[in-house]
Amino acid sequence: MLQLALFVLGAHAAPTVTLRNGVQMPMVAAGSWQYNSSAAYDSVTAALKAGFTMIDTALDYNNQDGVGRAIAESQVPREKIFVETKVPGCGMDPSMLNLFKCQEGTKKNLEKDLQLLNLSYVDLVIVHFPPIASMITRSCNSWSGGCQMVRAQWKAMEEFYKEGKARAIGVSNYCPSCFDCLKSATIQPMVNQVQFHLGMGTDPNSFVSYHKAHNIQLQAYSVLGNSLDHHASSEIVSGNLTVSIGKAHNKSSVQVALKWVVSQGIPAVTKSSNLEHLQQDLDLWSWSFTAQEQQALDTHSSPGGSPSFACNSLSASEVLV
Ligand SMILES: NC(=O)c1ccc[n+]([C@@H]2O[C@H](COP(=O)([O-])OP(=O)(O)OC[C@H]3O[C@@H](n4cnc5c(N)ncnc54)[C@H](OP(=O)(O)O)[C@@H]3O)[C@@H](O)[C@H]2O)c1
Ligand SMILES: *[C@@H]1O[C@H](CO)[C@@H](O)[C@H](O)[C@H]1NC(C)=O
Ligand SMILES: *[C@@H]1O[C@H](CO)[C@@H](O)[C@H](O)[C@H]1NC(C)=O
Ligand SMILES: *[C@@H]1O[C@H](CO)[C@@H](O)[C@H](O)[C@H]1NC(C)=O
Ligand SMILES: *[C@@H]1O[C@H](CO)[C@@H](O)[C@H](O)[C@H]1NC(C)=O
Protein backbone atom coordinates (compact mmCIF):
# COMPACT_ATOMS: atom_id res chain seq x y z
CA MET A 1 0.00 0.00 0.00
CA LEU A 2 2.77 2.39 1.01
CA GLN A 3 4.72 1.44 -2.07
CA LEU A 4 1.71 2.11 -4.25
CA ALA A 5 1.19 5.50 -2.61
CA LEU A 6 4.80 6.44 -3.25
CA PHE A 7 4.53 5.27 -6.82
CA VAL A 8 1.43 7.40 -7.44
CA LEU A 9 3.10 10.33 -5.74
CA GLY A 10 6.11 10.16 -8.03
CA ALA A 11 4.09 9.37 -11.12
CA HIS A 12 4.21 12.65 -12.99
CA ALA A 13 6.05 15.21 -10.89
CA ALA A 14 5.87 18.51 -12.76
CA PRO A 15 9.07 20.23 -13.89
CA THR A 16 9.84 23.66 -12.47
CA VAL A 17 10.71 27.17 -13.63
CA THR A 18 13.25 29.36 -11.83
CA LEU A 19 11.97 32.69 -10.55
CA ARG A 20 14.19 35.80 -10.62
CA ASN A 21 15.31 35.18 -7.02
CA GLY A 22 16.32 31.59 -7.78
CA VAL A 23 13.25 29.90 -6.24
CA GLN A 24 12.00 26.89 -8.23
CA MET A 25 8.27 26.96 -8.96
CA PRO A 26 6.41 23.92 -10.35
CA MET A 27 4.82 24.15 -13.82
CA VAL A 28 1.41 22.95 -12.63
CA ALA A 29 -0.62 23.91 -9.56
CA ALA A 30 -3.92 22.67 -8.20
CA GLY A 31 -6.28 25.60 -7.57
CA SER A 32 -9.01 25.91 -4.99
CA TRP A 33 -11.34 28.75 -5.98
CA GLN A 34 -15.05 28.18 -5.42
CA TYR A 35 -14.45 25.28 -3.08
CA ASN A 36 -15.72 25.66 0.47
CA SER A 37 -13.38 24.50 3.24
CA SER A 38 -14.45 20.90 3.09
CA ALA A 39 -14.37 20.72 -0.72
CA ALA A 40 -10.96 22.42 -0.66
CA TYR A 41 -9.76 19.86 1.88
CA ASP A 42 -10.92 17.04 -0.41
CA SER A 43 -9.49 18.57 -3.56
CA VAL A 44 -6.10 19.45 -2.07
CA THR A 45 -5.91 15.99 -0.48
CA ALA A 46 -6.64 14.40 -3.88
CA ALA A 47 -4.19 16.72 -5.66
CA LEU A 48 -1.35 15.82 -3.29
CA LYS A 49 -2.22 12.15 -3.68
CA ALA A 50 -2.15 12.52 -7.47
CA GLY A 51 1.35 13.94 -7.21
CA PHE A 52 0.75 17.70 -7.41
CA THR A 53 3.67 19.58 -5.86
CA MET A 54 1.93 22.96 -5.88
CA ILE A 55 -1.32 24.35 -4.47
CA ASP A 56 -2.89 27.71 -5.36
CA THR A 57 -5.28 29.40 -2.98
CA ALA A 58 -6.26 32.89 -1.76
CA LEU A 59 -7.46 34.59 1.40
CA ASP A 60 -10.55 35.61 -0.60
CA TYR A 61 -11.48 31.99 -1.27
CA ASN A 62 -12.56 31.60 2.37
CA ASN A 63 -11.30 28.04 2.51
CA GLN A 64 -7.82 28.47 3.97
CA ASP A 65 -8.48 26.21 6.93
CA GLY A 66 -9.47 23.33 4.61
CA VAL A 67 -6.40 23.88 2.44
CA GLY A 68 -4.14 24.04 5.52
CA ARG A 69 -5.66 20.94 7.07
CA ALA A 70 -5.13 18.96 3.85
CA ILE A 71 -1.48 20.04 3.75
CA ALA A 72 -0.92 19.21 7.42
CA GLU A 73 -2.56 15.79 7.15
CA SER A 74 -1.04 14.83 3.80
CA GLN A 75 2.18 13.43 5.29
CA VAL A 76 3.98 15.09 2.37
CA PRO A 77 6.91 17.02 3.89
CA ARG A 78 6.14 20.75 3.95
CA GLU A 79 9.20 21.60 1.85
CA LYS A 80 7.93 19.33 -0.93
CA ILE A 81 4.76 21.39 -1.38
CA PHE A 82 4.88 24.78 -3.08
CA VAL A 83 2.07 26.82 -1.52
CA GLU A 84 0.87 29.90 -3.39
CA THR A 85 -1.70 32.25 -1.90
CA LYS A 86 -3.14 35.71 -2.57
CA VAL A 87 -4.09 38.78 -0.56
CA PRO A 88 -6.78 41.23 -1.72
CA GLY A 89 -5.83 44.22 -3.88
CA CYS A 90 -6.32 47.76 -2.50
CA GLY A 91 -10.01 48.51 -2.10
CA MET A 92 -11.08 44.90 -2.69
CA ASP A 93 -11.20 44.62 1.04
CA PRO A 94 -13.40 47.60 2.11
CA SER A 95 -11.00 48.45 4.94
CA MET A 96 -8.25 49.16 2.40
CA LEU A 97 -9.77 51.89 0.24
CA ASN A 98 -7.57 54.49 1.77
CA LEU A 99 -3.92 54.68 0.71
CA PHE A 100 -2.32 54.28 4.07
CA LYS A 101 -4.78 51.58 5.05
CA CYS A 102 -3.82 49.51 2.04
CA GLN A 103 -0.31 48.98 3.36
CA GLU A 104 -1.55 48.30 6.90
CA GLY A 105 -4.46 46.18 5.65
CA THR A 106 -2.19 44.12 3.42
CA LYS A 107 0.18 43.51 6.31
CA LYS A 108 -2.75 42.30 8.42
CA ASN A 109 -4.11 40.12 5.62
CA LEU A 110 -0.72 38.51 5.03
CA GLU A 111 -0.44 37.53 8.70
CA LYS A 112 -4.07 36.42 8.86
CA ASP A 113 -3.62 34.21 5.81
CA LEU A 114 -0.56 32.45 7.24
CA GLN A 115 -2.47 31.83 10.43
CA LEU A 116 -5.54 30.45 8.66
CA LEU A 117 -3.36 28.20 6.52
CA ASN A 118 -1.61 27.07 9.70
CA LEU A 119 1.79 27.55 8.04
CA SER A 120 4.99 29.25 9.17
CA TYR A 121 5.72 30.43 5.60
CA VAL A 122 4.25 30.28 2.10
CA ASP A 123 6.29 29.72 -1.03
CA LEU A 124 4.65 32.52 -2.99
CA VAL A 125 2.12 35.19 -2.10
CA ILE A 126 0.66 37.48 -4.75
CA VAL A 127 -1.53 40.59 -4.75
CA HIS A 128 -4.85 39.29 -6.11
CA PHE A 129 -5.82 42.37 -8.18
CA PRO A 130 -4.64 45.88 -9.00
CA PRO A 131 -6.35 48.59 -6.90
CA ILE A 132 -10.10 48.47 -7.47
CA ALA A 133 -10.27 51.79 -9.35
CA SER A 134 -8.12 50.30 -12.10
CA MET A 135 -11.10 48.16 -13.06
CA ILE A 136 -12.87 51.35 -14.13
CA THR A 137 -9.91 53.31 -15.49
CA ARG A 138 -8.42 50.17 -17.09
CA SER A 139 -5.02 51.26 -15.85
CA CYS A 140 -3.05 51.57 -12.63
CA ASN A 141 -1.41 54.93 -13.33
CA SER A 142 -4.01 57.01 -15.16
CA TRP A 143 -5.74 58.26 -12.03
CA SER A 144 -4.48 60.15 -9.05
CA GLY A 145 -3.35 57.88 -6.26
CA GLY A 146 -3.35 54.67 -8.29
CA CYS A 147 0.39 54.24 -8.33
CA GLN A 148 0.67 55.31 -4.71
CA MET A 149 -1.72 52.54 -3.74
CA VAL A 150 0.22 49.98 -5.75
CA ARG A 151 3.45 51.10 -4.06
CA ALA A 152 1.98 51.22 -0.56
CA GLN A 153 0.65 47.69 -0.93
CA TRP A 154 3.91 46.44 -2.39
CA LYS A 155 5.82 47.74 0.64
CA ALA A 156 3.83 45.36 2.83
CA MET A 157 4.66 42.53 0.40
CA GLU A 158 8.39 43.35 0.46
CA GLU A 159 8.40 43.40 4.25
CA PHE A 160 6.70 40.02 4.46
CA TYR A 161 9.29 38.63 2.04
CA LYS A 162 12.20 40.10 3.96
CA GLU A 163 10.83 38.56 7.15
CA GLY A 164 11.12 35.14 5.49
CA LYS A 165 7.38 34.50 5.58
CA ALA A 166 7.19 34.10 1.80
CA ARG A 167 9.93 32.63 -0.39
CA ALA A 168 8.69 34.73 -3.33
CA ILE A 169 6.22 37.59 -3.90
CA GLY A 170 4.24 38.65 -6.94
CA VAL A 171 0.99 39.95 -8.35
CA SER A 172 -2.06 38.83 -10.30
CA ASN A 173 -4.16 40.45 -13.01
CA TYR A 174 -1.53 43.18 -13.38
CA CYS A 175 -0.79 44.91 -16.69
CA PRO A 176 2.23 47.04 -17.72
CA SER A 177 0.76 50.27 -16.29
CA CYS A 178 0.77 48.62 -12.84
CA PHE A 179 4.35 47.40 -13.18
CA ASP A 180 5.33 50.93 -14.20
CA CYS A 181 4.36 52.01 -10.67
CA LEU A 182 6.92 49.63 -9.19
CA LYS A 183 9.91 50.59 -11.33
CA SER A 184 11.85 51.89 -8.33
CA ALA A 185 10.81 49.17 -5.89
CA THR A 186 13.68 47.38 -4.13
CA ILE A 187 12.23 43.96 -4.83
CA GLN A 188 10.56 43.42 -8.19
CA PRO A 189 7.46 41.21 -8.52
CA MET A 190 8.55 37.68 -9.39
CA VAL A 191 5.27 36.36 -10.78
CA ASN A 192 2.11 37.69 -12.49
CA GLN A 193 -0.83 35.27 -12.50
CA VAL A 194 -3.23 36.05 -15.38
CA GLN A 195 -5.77 34.39 -17.65
CA PHE A 196 -4.05 32.51 -20.42
CA HIS A 197 -5.32 29.63 -22.49
CA LEU A 198 -5.52 28.00 -25.87
CA GLY A 199 -7.17 30.33 -28.39
CA MET A 200 -5.37 33.47 -27.20
CA GLY A 201 -2.33 32.81 -29.40
CA THR A 202 1.27 32.72 -28.22
CA ASP A 203 1.65 36.40 -27.28
CA PRO A 204 -1.77 37.97 -26.52
CA ASN A 205 -1.61 41.75 -25.97
CA SER A 206 2.20 41.28 -26.07
CA PHE A 207 1.90 39.95 -22.52
CA VAL A 208 4.29 37.06 -22.97
CA SER A 209 7.05 39.15 -24.55
CA TYR A 210 6.56 41.97 -22.01
CA HIS A 211 6.98 39.61 -19.06
CA LYS A 212 9.98 37.89 -20.64
CA ALA A 213 11.65 41.25 -21.22
CA HIS A 214 11.04 42.25 -17.59
CA ASN A 215 11.96 38.89 -16.10
CA ILE A 216 8.54 38.48 -14.48
CA GLN A 217 7.27 34.90 -14.57
CA LEU A 218 3.79 34.68 -16.09
CA GLN A 219 1.51 32.05 -14.58
CA ALA A 220 -1.76 31.04 -16.23
CA TYR A 221 -5.21 30.60 -14.72
CA SER A 222 -8.47 29.81 -16.51
CA VAL A 223 -6.27 27.51 -18.55
CA LEU A 224 -9.35 25.62 -19.72
CA GLY A 225 -10.78 28.69 -21.30
CA ASN A 226 -13.81 29.92 -19.48
CA SER A 227 -13.34 33.05 -17.45
CA LEU A 228 -17.03 33.51 -16.67
CA ASP A 229 -18.23 30.43 -14.83
CA HIS A 230 -14.79 28.87 -14.38
CA HIS A 231 -15.66 25.56 -15.89
CA ALA A 232 -13.74 24.08 -18.77
CA SER A 233 -15.02 25.68 -22.01
CA SER A 234 -16.82 23.43 -24.49
CA GLU A 235 -14.45 24.58 -27.24
CA ILE A 236 -11.60 23.05 -25.26
CA VAL A 237 -13.43 19.99 -23.91
CA SER A 238 -15.19 18.98 -27.12
CA GLY A 239 -13.74 21.14 -29.90
CA ASN A 240 -12.40 19.30 -32.94
CA LEU A 241 -8.83 20.50 -32.64
CA THR A 242 -8.18 19.44 -29.03
CA VAL A 243 -10.17 16.21 -29.37
CA SER A 244 -8.44 15.14 -32.59
CA ILE A 245 -4.94 15.93 -31.32
CA GLY A 246 -5.75 14.18 -28.05
CA LYS A 247 -6.91 11.06 -29.91
CA ALA A 248 -3.65 10.91 -31.83
CA HIS A 249 -1.77 10.63 -28.51
CA ASN A 250 -4.33 8.71 -26.45
CA LYS A 251 -4.83 11.82 -24.30
CA SER A 252 -7.88 13.90 -23.46
CA SER A 253 -8.78 17.23 -25.05
CA VAL A 254 -8.19 18.91 -21.66
CA GLN A 255 -4.67 17.47 -21.51
CA VAL A 256 -3.98 18.92 -24.97
CA ALA A 257 -5.08 22.39 -23.80
CA LEU A 258 -3.03 22.17 -20.61
CA LYS A 259 0.00 20.88 -22.43
CA TRP A 260 -0.26 23.75 -24.90
CA VAL A 261 -0.03 26.30 -22.04
CA VAL A 262 2.98 24.67 -20.39
CA SER A 263 4.64 24.13 -23.78
CA GLN A 264 4.83 27.94 -23.97
CA GLY A 265 6.95 27.86 -20.83
CA ILE A 266 4.05 29.21 -18.78
CA PRO A 267 3.15 27.44 -15.53
CA ALA A 268 -0.55 26.57 -15.25
CA VAL A 269 -3.05 26.65 -12.39
CA THR A 270 -6.02 24.40 -12.92
CA LYS A 271 -8.38 22.76 -10.46
CA SER A 272 -10.45 19.62 -10.18
CA SER A 273 -12.49 17.78 -7.62
CA ASN A 274 -11.84 14.51 -9.43
CA LEU A 275 -8.74 12.37 -8.71
CA GLU A 276 -8.59 10.94 -12.22
CA HIS A 277 -8.73 14.43 -13.75
CA LEU A 278 -5.99 15.59 -11.39
CA GLN A 279 -3.78 12.69 -12.46
CA GLN A 280 -4.39 13.57 -16.13
CA ASP A 281 -3.57 17.20 -15.43
CA LEU A 282 -0.04 16.14 -14.45
CA ASP A 283 0.52 13.82 -17.40
CA LEU A 284 1.79 16.49 -19.77
CA TRP A 285 5.44 15.59 -20.22
CA SER A 286 5.58 11.97 -21.38
CA TRP A 287 4.41 12.87 -24.90
CA SER A 288 4.99 15.56 -27.56
CA PHE A 289 3.01 17.49 -30.14
CA THR A 290 4.10 17.15 -33.74
CA ALA A 291 5.28 20.38 -35.38
CA GLN A 292 1.98 20.52 -37.28
CA GLU A 293 -0.09 20.10 -34.12
CA GLN A 294 1.95 22.76 -32.34
CA GLN A 295 1.39 25.14 -35.26
CA ALA A 296 -2.37 24.46 -35.35
CA LEU A 297 -2.65 25.06 -31.60
CA ASP A 298 -0.47 28.19 -31.65
CA THR A 299 -2.68 29.82 -34.28
CA HIS A 300 -6.06 28.62 -32.95
CA SER A 301 -8.26 31.61 -32.08
CA SER A 302 -11.04 30.15 -29.97
CA PRO A 303 -11.95 30.58 -27.13
CA GLY A 304 -10.49 34.11 -27.18
CA GLY A 305 -10.00 36.55 -24.32
CA SER A 306 -7.38 38.86 -22.87
CA PRO A 307 -4.81 38.05 -20.17
CA SER A 308 -5.49 40.78 -17.63
CA PHE A 309 -9.15 41.69 -17.51
CA ALA A 310 -8.50 43.96 -14.57
CA CYS A 311 -6.65 46.66 -16.46
CA ASN A 312 -6.64 46.01 -20.20
CA SER A 313 -9.11 47.15 -22.80
CA LEU A 314 -11.58 44.32 -22.95
CA SER A 315 -15.07 43.15 -23.74
CA ALA A 316 -17.92 44.06 -21.39
CA SER A 317 -18.53 40.43 -20.45
CA GLU A 318 -15.07 40.14 -18.96
CA VAL A 319 -15.62 43.14 -16.70
CA LEU A 320 -18.38 41.22 -14.96
CA VAL A 321 -16.11 38.44 -13.68
N1 LIG B 1 -5.75 35.11 -9.84
C1 LIG B 1 -7.02 35.08 -10.16
O1 LIG B 1 -7.69 36.12 -10.23
C2 LIG B 1 -7.68 33.76 -10.46
C3 LIG B 1 -8.91 33.73 -11.15
C4 LIG B 1 -9.47 32.50 -11.45
C5 LIG B 1 -8.84 31.32 -11.06
N2 LIG B 1 -7.66 31.37 -10.37
C6 LIG B 1 -6.98 30.11 -9.91
O2 LIG B 1 -6.99 29.17 -10.97
C7 LIG B 1 -7.66 27.98 -10.53
C8 LIG B 1 -8.32 27.29 -11.67
O3 LIG B 1 -9.54 27.93 -11.97
P1 LIG B 1 -9.98 28.27 -13.38
O4 LIG B 1 -11.11 29.14 -13.43
O5 LIG B 1 -8.75 28.74 -14.03
O6 LIG B 1 -10.47 26.84 -13.92
P2 LIG B 1 -9.88 25.90 -15.06
O7 LIG B 1 -8.65 25.27 -14.56
O8 LIG B 1 -9.81 26.65 -16.34
O9 LIG B 1 -11.06 24.86 -15.16
C9 LIG B 1 -11.42 24.10 -14.05
C10 LIG B 1 -12.47 23.08 -14.48
O10 LIG B 1 -11.86 22.13 -15.35
C11 LIG B 1 -12.28 20.84 -15.03
N3 LIG B 1 -11.15 19.92 -15.25
C12 LIG B 1 -9.90 19.98 -14.69
N4 LIG B 1 -9.14 18.96 -15.13
C13 LIG B 1 -9.90 18.25 -15.99
C14 LIG B 1 -9.68 17.09 -16.77
N5 LIG B 1 -8.51 16.45 -16.76
N6 LIG B 1 -10.70 16.64 -17.55
C15 LIG B 1 -11.88 17.28 -17.56
N7 LIG B 1 -12.16 18.37 -16.85
C16 LIG B 1 -11.18 18.86 -16.06
C17 LIG B 1 -12.71 20.86 -13.59
O11 LIG B 1 -13.88 20.08 -13.43
P3 LIG B 1 -13.87 18.74 -12.51
O12 LIG B 1 -13.82 19.20 -11.10
O13 LIG B 1 -15.14 18.08 -12.90
O14 LIG B 1 -12.65 17.95 -12.90
C18 LIG B 1 -13.03 22.33 -13.31
O15 LIG B 1 -14.41 22.58 -13.30
C19 LIG B 1 -8.60 28.46 -9.43
O16 LIG B 1 -9.01 27.42 -8.58
C20 LIG B 1 -7.73 29.48 -8.74
O17 LIG B 1 -6.83 28.79 -7.87
C21 LIG B 1 -7.07 32.57 -10.08
C1 LIG C 1 -19.31 22.33 0.60
O1 LIG C 1 -19.37 22.03 -0.79
C2 LIG C 1 -19.78 20.69 -1.04
C3 LIG C 1 -19.58 20.43 -2.53
O2 LIG C 1 -20.15 21.45 -3.30
C4 LIG C 1 -21.21 20.51 -0.55
O3 LIG C 1 -21.65 19.19 -0.79
C5 LIG C 1 -21.25 20.81 0.95
O4 LIG C 1 -22.59 20.76 1.39
C6 LIG C 1 -20.68 22.18 1.24
N1 LIG C 1 -20.56 22.34 2.68
C7 LIG C 1 -20.95 23.44 3.30
C8 LIG C 1 -20.70 23.46 4.77
O5 LIG C 1 -21.48 24.37 2.72
C1 LIG D 1 -1.39 22.84 12.22
O1 LIG D 1 -0.19 22.26 11.73
C2 LIG D 1 0.46 21.42 12.67
C3 LIG D 1 1.72 20.89 12.00
O2 LIG D 1 2.56 21.93 11.64
C4 LIG D 1 -0.43 20.27 13.07
O3 LIG D 1 0.19 19.51 14.06
C5 LIG D 1 -1.76 20.80 13.57
O4 LIG D 1 -2.64 19.71 13.79
C6 LIG D 1 -2.37 21.74 12.54
N1 LIG D 1 -3.61 22.31 13.05
C7 LIG D 1 -4.75 22.25 12.37
C8 LIG D 1 -5.92 22.92 13.00
O5 LIG D 1 -4.84 21.70 11.27
C1 LIG E 1 -10.25 18.63 -37.08
O1 LIG E 1 -8.89 18.90 -36.72
C2 LIG E 1 -7.92 18.23 -37.52
C3 LIG E 1 -6.55 18.65 -36.99
O2 LIG E 1 -6.30 18.15 -35.75
C4 LIG E 1 -8.07 18.60 -38.98
O3 LIG E 1 -7.16 17.81 -39.74
C5 LIG E 1 -9.50 18.35 -39.45
O4 LIG E 1 -9.66 18.85 -40.74
C6 LIG E 1 -10.49 19.04 -38.51
N1 LIG E 1 -11.87 18.72 -38.90
C7 LIG E 1 -12.82 19.63 -38.97
C8 LIG E 1 -14.18 19.14 -39.33
O5 LIG E 1 -12.61 20.82 -38.74
C1 LIG F 1 -4.63 4.94 -23.44
O1 LIG F 1 -4.58 5.54 -22.17
C2 LIG F 1 -5.23 4.83 -21.16
C3 LIG F 1 -5.12 5.62 -19.85
O2 LIG F 1 -5.48 6.93 -20.04
C4 LIG F 1 -4.63 3.46 -20.98
O3 LIG F 1 -5.37 2.73 -20.03
C5 LIG F 1 -4.61 2.74 -22.32
O4 LIG F 1 -3.90 1.50 -22.16
C6 LIG F 1 -3.95 3.58 -23.39
N1 LIG F 1 -4.06 2.93 -24.67
C7 LIG F 1 -3.00 2.79 -25.48
C8 LIG F 1 -3.27 2.15 -26.80
O5 LIG F 1 -1.89 3.18 -25.18
Side-chain angles (χ1 to χ4, degrees):
M1 217 31 218
L2 181 65
Q3 235 170 353
L4 182 66
L6 288 174
F7 174 74
V8 170
L9 215 59
H12 297 291
T16 57
V17 288
T18 305
L19 306 182
R20 68 192 308 150
N21 66 343
V23 163
Q24 303 271 310
M25 181 175 99
M27 287 294 290
V28 190
S32 54
W33 189 34
Q34 293 170 319
Y35 293 149
N36 62 30
S37 284
S38 100
Y41 172 84
D42 291 344
S43 171
V44 171
T45 299
L48 294 173
K49 190 173 165 200
F52 271 84
T53 50
M54 180 168 178
I55 303 299
D56 178 79
T57 187
L59 184 59
D60 285 343
Y61 297 170
N62 289 318
N63 57 16
Q64 304 302 71
D65 56 322
V67 171
R69 211 156 39 83
I71 291 169
E73 290 176 18
S74 69
Q75 295 182 345
V76 180
R78 170 67 189 91
E79 67 276 13
K80 299 249 188 255
I81 308 174
F82 191 106
V83 180
E84 174 174 18
T85 189
K86 314 178 192 80
V87 285
C90 303
M92 294 295 185
D93 176 330
S95 72
M96 302 196 309
L97 268 174
N98 153 323
L99 258 191
F100 185 66
K101 285 196 171 153
C102 189
Q103 183 173 354
E104 283 309 299
T106 300
K107 194 176 154 75
K108 277 190 198 138
N109 282 334
L110 285 162
E111 296 295 341
K112 182 171 153 193
D113 201 31
L114 260 193
Q115 210 167 47
L116 289 172
L117 285 167
N118 186 27
L119 296 175
S120 57
Y121 71 94
V122 291
D123 295 277
L124 170 64
V125 60
I126 60 179
V127 171
H128 210 149
F129 287 96
I132 193 161
S134 68
M135 306 262 178
I136 300 153
T137 63
R138 319 313 309 167
S139 153
C140 275
N141 60 8
S142 66
W143 57 286
S144 161
C147 260
Q148 284 160 281
M149 273 199 181
V150 167
R151 289 191 198 113
Q153 178 156 47
W154 191 249
K155 281 206 180 101
M157 300 292 286
E158 288 179 326
E159 231 171 82
F160 196 70
Y161 175 71
K162 286 182 195 156
E163 286 167 1
K165 291 172 181 165
R167 295 174 64 228
I169 50 176
V171 295
S172 180
N173 302 302
Y174 263 40
C175 54
S177 68
C178 305
F179 288 114
D180 284 348
C181 302
L182 292 175
K183 271 190 176 142
S184 55
T186 324
I187 298 163
Q188 289 296 306
M190 293 150 199
V191 170
N192 187 14
Q193 185 184 106
V194 300
Q195 292 182 45
F196 180 69
H197 54 72
L198 180 67
M200 284 188 180
T202 55
D203 195 11
N205 297 7
S206 302
F207 249 59
V208 175
S209 43
Y210 175 90
H211 287 77
K212 270 192 189 136
H214 292 81
N215 199 10
I216 301 161
Q217 181 63 56
L218 266 186
Q219 182 187 31
Y221 73 77
S222 289
V223 285
L224 301 183
N226 195 328
S227 62
L228 285 175
D229 66 4
H230 294 275
H231 285 97
S233 82
S234 58
E235 169 66 20
I236 280 176
V237 174
S238 39
N240 172 59
L241 185 67
T242 47
V243 170
S244 63
I245 293 176
K247 269 195 188 133
H249 298 278
N250 191 30
K251 300 293 172 200
S252 75
S253 53
V254 163
Q255 286 174 298
V256 170
L258 278 171
K259 183 178 175 64
W260 180 78
V261 170
V262 300
S263 76
Q264 310 294 309
I266 300 179
V269 187
T270 183
K271 69 162 193 187
S272 179
S273 51
N274 173 312
L275 180 61
E276 202 182 323
H277 286 172
L278 287 163
Q279 283 166 333
Q280 291 171 0
D281 296 349
L282 286 174
D283 182 13
L284 309 177
W285 287 277
S286 63
W287 50 293
S288 306
F289 294 136
T290 65
Q292 265 169 329
E293 289 167 347
Q294 186 75 52
Q295 164 85 11
L297 292 164
D298 287 355
T299 54
H300 199 55
S301 59
S302 170
S306 65
S308 179
F309 66 83
C311 55
N312 268 5
S313 56
L314 73 173
S315 66
S317 66
E318 286 174 288
V319 183
L320 301 174
V321 177

